[in-house]
Structures are given as C-alpha cells and as structure tokens.
Amino acid sequence: MTEIFPPYQQQNADAALHGWSVDIVRQIMNAAQLSYNIDVMPWARAYKTASSQPDTLIFSLLRTEEREGKFAWIAPLCPMRVSFYTGANRTDVQAADIQSALKYVVGVENGQANYRYLREQGFRESRNLVVVGHNHQLQQMLELGRIDLMLISDLYVAQLPDHGANLRRVFTAHALEKYLFLAAHPATDPKLLQQLQQAWRTIRHQALPDCQLISKPPF
C-alpha cells in the first residue's frame, strides 16, 4: 500500500500508478515472481494498516530511528530531503533553524515522520502545528495565510506545476535526510522477506534506480 506523493508515487490521467518508487517496487515484485496489488490510500491509513497486518508491504516509508523496530526493511527506494517552505511573498517569515521556527505556525501531513519530528521539537496542534490529510492541502493553507511554513520534500516542490515558483525554501531539516524504503510488518513471513530482499539485490546489481544516482543522504 502507498499514497499519492509525487514524484515517488503519482497517477496519470487514467489513474495508472507510476513514479520513482512505484517503478522500483514493481521491479522488485516482478523479480521475486510474486503477484500483488497496490492500494492507494491516505498515508495515515496506509501506515496504520501496515503496522497491524502481517504480510503487508508499505512504501515510500522514511526509515527513522523511531520506526526501526516497527517494520521489516526490505529495500531502499529513493533518498529524500525535507525542508521548511513559505510563500515567496512572505518576507516576514525568517528562520534559520528549528528553534527559530517555533514562533511560526507549521503545516505537516498526518502520519508522516515529519509530524513526529515536529512534535519532538516542541510543536503542538493547539499552538503552532496544523495537521492535514495530504500535502497538496498545505500549499492551499499557505496561500490562505492559515500557516506560515510547511515541512515537505524538496522533490515534491520541484515537481509542482510551477516548480515551486510561489514558494521559498527557508531551511532544510537535516535530521530527516534519509532514504524512503519498501518495508513490511515485522511479523511478515521470513521466507517472503528473504525472497523480496533477494529480488532487490538482483535488480540493484543490474542497474541502480535513477533516483539513487541523483544524490544520497547526507545531501
């Protein structure tokens, strides 16, 4: 299961799923000679399902210390850099680090590692944190002045129709510079996990995915 998160997972006009991570996952599943379905849903529901149902896979899941023991990690898909963005016309928003950002209202997608990171840094929903169901809502809230900053992937901004022309990157959350993974519930059949990991090793030796050739953490 996954969510819509361009350019890693996206849909074209006929709703066909594609993207950097999708292409790698399909290669892994085909190399493992496994039949599968990819269900697209809001990230919070995908995360909850993969956390509770064995033999369920999820992508693209950021590998963090907090999540380390909660999933079986199958394959690194793409690197991700996450930054705080504001509107290009918001010259009043100035922050050099996470501490100076605490005075602003920050928007984040529900269920993401970004959310937990903000909570750990002192952000709270009752004061300076707004949680939404999907990333595209953050830009709308920024335009309406309901938030001052949003914490999102740099590549997500780059693939927007205007390539982020109306946004300004304020600073990067270096603590979140990690790989997105294909992962599974930890109680998933060990033979299935081994089969998938071997499939990843096979396709990796044939050719590294394009997104892994662009850059890797730390950026």
Side-chain angles (χ1 to χ4, degrees):
M1 46 196 56
T2 190
E3 66 165 342
I4 297 302
F5 182 37
Y8 307 101
Q9 300 99 231
Q10 52 193 336
Q11 290 176 310
N12 55 23
D14 59 1
L17 192 66
H18 65 102
W20 283 352
S21 292
V22 175
D23 294 344
I24 302 171
V25 169
R26 291 195 190 282
Q27 289 180 59
I28 292 173
M29 301 305 290
N30 291 338
Q33 298 183 329
L34 294 169
S35 58
Y36 65 96
N37 293 312
I38 299 178
D39 292 332
V40 178
M41 61 187 68
W43 183 252
R45 182 151 60 95
Y47 186 91
K48 182 178 180 181
T49 304
S51 300
S52 59
Q53 294 184 12
D55 298 333
T56 301
L57 309 184
I58 184 172
F59 71 98
S60 298
L61 184 66
L62 196 67
R63 188 169 187 172
T64 64
E65 291 181 8
E66 183 270 333
R67 291 173 172 172
E68 188 64 34
K70 296 181 178 180
F71 293 91
W73 302 93
I74 296 168
L77 302 176
C78 297
M80 185 171 74
R81 182 170 65 184
V82 178
S83 299
F84 287 85
Y85 285 84
T86 189
N89 62 342
R90 290 292 303 273
T91 57
D92 59 308
V93 178
Q94 301 292 334
D97 53 36
I98 193 69
Q99 289 303 311
S100 55
L102 282 166
K103 63 184 179 183
Y104 297 110
V105 178
V106 177
V108 68
E109 183 180 0
N110 188 28
Q112 295 281 5
N114 300 354
Y115 169 76
R116 184 174 182 85
Y117 169 74
L118 290 172
R119 292 279 303 178
E120 290 172 347
Q121 300 304 316
F123 287 86
R124 296 293 181 267
E125 282 95 329
S126 59
R127 185 173 68 251
N128 56 359
L129 183 61
V130 174
V131 183
V132 300
H134 198 277
N135 274 325
H136 73 267
Q137 296 171 272
L138 293 175
Q139 193 170 5
Q140 296 171 356
M141 297 192 76
L142 192 63
E143 292 170 354
L144 293 171
R146 294 179 181 173
I147 59 175
D148 303 308
L149 292 163
M150 56 184 183
L151 183 57
I152 52 176
S153 160
D154 287 358
L155 283 173
Y156 176 83
V157 173
Q159 62 77 45
L160 291 172
D162 63 357
H163 306 292
N166 294 318
L167 300 173
R168 173 173 61 87
R169 185 167 63 191
V170 180
F171 68 96
T172 296
H174 293 291
L176 293 171
E177 289 182 347
K178 301 178 185 295
Y179 267 96
L180 295 166
F181 267 72
L182 171 65
H185 187 283
T188 295
D189 184 347
K191 291 183 179 179
L192 175 61
L193 293 175
Q194 189 175 37
Q195 189 176 359
L196 290 165
Q197 288 164 343
Q198 179 56 50
W200 158 243
R201 287 191 288 270
T202 298
I203 68 168
R204 180 187 64 187
H205 291 314
Q206 292 172 352
L208 277 175
D210 290 342
C211 65
Q212 292 191 12
L213 297 174
I214 294 173
S215 59
K216 61 182 179 180
F219 290 88

